[in-house]
Amino acid sequence: MAPLPSRPTPAQQRKELSNSDGLNDNEVDLVLDQLAEEKPTSFIGAGLGKQTWSRYIVNNYLSQYKWYNPNRDNTDISLAKGWAYFEHFTLPRRFLTKSGGHHVRAPPGETEETKLYSAFLTPQSSLSDWGIGMGMYFSTLSSFVVIFLLAGILSIPNIVYYSSDQYDPNPNRRINFSLMRVLQFSTICTSREWVKCDGCEQETWNNIFTNEYFGNATDPITGESVTLINRTTCLPAQYTQGMWNFGVLFLLIVCITAYNIYLSKLEIRWDEDNTSAPDYSLIVMNPPKNAKDPDEWKGFFDTFSDKHVTL
């Protein structure tokens, strides 16, 4: 498997595209004034990520009505600023320019032109900005959708066979749209017949799933009581259908094994892309048993202060 391409960390990417190192309260107010007065986009533009459709509807229609905006005439309270704060400080946004072919998450309140992340078009490589777990979750989800889709396609011959009259000739199984109608594509069999069963005991069939398939009758010839069971008349397991099932199983084993290898490499790359406290932490594996004095530990690590080690 080819090595995964490396890319700058999210922090490095943001630094390349933005000069913002964080805003104080006064700067936030100035930014909100600017964002609240930004040129309204079109309905289509809102759908393309410039702003949310909710904000578009509120700013262009609902905000002028007193029943929706009771503080419409109060200059100290601005509904437009509230929506601007929600879209530019609360919701994640990205720069229009990509870095290394990947979207770069913009810091809250970024004054450069940005867009909201798309719920459907955001690439998986950009999801690691929310942490390794987020990226791995959606990567696994999308990969398993493809894997199970392939497994479903490979199962079509069996689905066709088990829904045919060749397997179950009962004409009543397709009458009603019910659970039975859905299960007709599985190995369920609705063609049954009562047969004599010597040695069958009622205790074996005495449960809510099988008690209706057990009964007693009187032999019309001998007059003796006989035990009956209601068995299916469909064909037993066939070689062809078994091979298709083994093919699906083999496909799942190969795909899941290959994906686990890929996911391990992806985890390493995303871990390198994101900086967290464990990346700068030291673990002492073999401390002395009597080393319980925090001042002693501090004095020990102070000897490495030139290496920027602190306690």
Side-chain angles (χ1 to χ4, degrees):
M1 184 177 293
L4 295 171
S6 60
R7 63 187 177 104
T9 65
Q12 293 172 335
Q13 295 171 344
R14 286 194 290 267
K15 187 175 181 181
E16 293 176 0
L17 299 175
S18 173
N19 295 322
S20 176
D21 295 325
L23 304 175
N24 56 39
D25 292 344
N26 293 331
E27 291 172 334
V28 168
D29 290 337
L30 292 175
V31 170
L32 286 178
D33 289 336
Q34 176 183 345
L35 296 176
E37 297 176 358
E38 62 184 352
K39 184 179 179 180
T41 185
S42 63
F43 187 77
I44 297 178
L48 296 177
K50 293 294 185 180
Q51 60 180 220
T52 61
W53 275 324
S54 299
R55 184 186 180 190
Y56 173 84
I57 294 174
V58 169
N59 285 348
N60 290 277
Y61 302 103
L62 298 182
S63 61
Q64 58 183 316
Y65 297 106
K66 197 82 172 181
W67 57 267
Y68 180 84
N69 184 16
N71 298 298
R72 181 188 61 186
D73 301 326
N74 188 344
T75 58
D76 295 329
I77 300 177
S78 173
L79 188 62
K81 284 186 179 181
W83 274 101
Y85 186 89
F86 174 69
E87 286 197 354
H88 290 269
F89 285 84
T90 304
L91 296 181
R93 301 181 71 91
R94 63 176 179 83
F95 291 103
L96 302 184
T97 305
K98 293 183 177 181
S99 177
H102 306 276
H103 292 316
V104 181
R105 186 174 179 178
E110 175 59 48
T111 55
E112 297 293 331
E113 188 174 4
T114 58
K115 291 180 65 175
L116 294 165
Y117 280 91
S118 171
F120 302 101
L121 302 179
T122 300
Q124 294 179 7
S125 57
S126 299
L127 296 177
S128 62
D129 288 353
W130 285 269
I132 300 175
M134 181 70 72
M136 293 179 64
Y137 169 78
F138 282 102
S139 175
T140 302
L141 190 64
S142 59
S143 298
F144 270 75
V145 166
V146 176
I147 291 174
F148 285 117
L149 177 62
L150 294 176
I153 294 174
L154 197 60
S155 299
I156 289 178
N158 275 2
I159 294 174
V160 173
Y161 171 75
Y162 288 122
S163 63
S164 67
D165 293 335
Q166 180 183 357
Y167 173 72
D168 185 359
N170 184 1
N172 297 323
R173 65 191 177 114
R174 298 189 182 92
I175 292 178
N176 298 318
F177 184 80
S178 61
L179 180 61
M180 294 298 294
R181 181 69 180 269
V182 178
L183 293 179
Q184 68 171 316
F185 301 105
S186 69
T187 57
I188 189 172
C189 180
T190 58
S191 297
R192 313 184 72 92
E193 65 177 359
W194 288 96
V195 296
K196 182 179 178 180
C197 181
D198 295 327
C200 291
E201 299 180 357
Q202 186 174 3
E203 291 77 10
T204 308
W205 300 77
N206 191 21
N207 61 71
I208 62 174
F209 300 104
T210 59
N211 57 7
E212 62 179 301
Y213 302 128
F214 181 90
N216 295 296
T218 302
D219 191 319
I221 299 177
T222 64
E224 298 179 352
S225 177
V226 294
T227 301
L228 302 176
I229 61 170
N230 189 236
R231 71 172 187 179
T232 61
T233 60
C234 296
L235 293 175
Q238 302 295 301
Y239 176 82
T240 302
Q241 281 65 50
M243 289 299 99
W244 280 113
N245 286 336
F246 277 118
V248 173
L249 179 61
F250 179 75
L251 172 70
L252 292 176
I253 292 174
V254 171
C255 289
I256 292 176
T257 301
Y259 179 72
N260 282 336
I261 297 174
Y262 168 77
L263 190 63
S264 299
K265 296 181 179 294
L266 196 64
E267 180 183 6
I268 295 174
R269 195 195 81 179
W270 282 346
D271 182 58
E272 294 174 349
D273 287 346
N274 290 272
T275 302
S276 58
D279 295 329
Y280 297 94
S281 300
L282 299 177
I283 300 178
V284 181
M285 304 298 297
N286 56 344
K289 294 183 179 180
N290 60 350
K292 301 179 180 179
D293 185 359
D295 294 331
E296 183 180 358
W297 278 105
K298 186 176 187 307
F300 172 75
F301 282 109
D302 283 344
T303 61
F304 301 97
S305 58
D306 58 325
K307 303 295 184 181
H308 304 286
V309 178
T310 60
L311 180 63

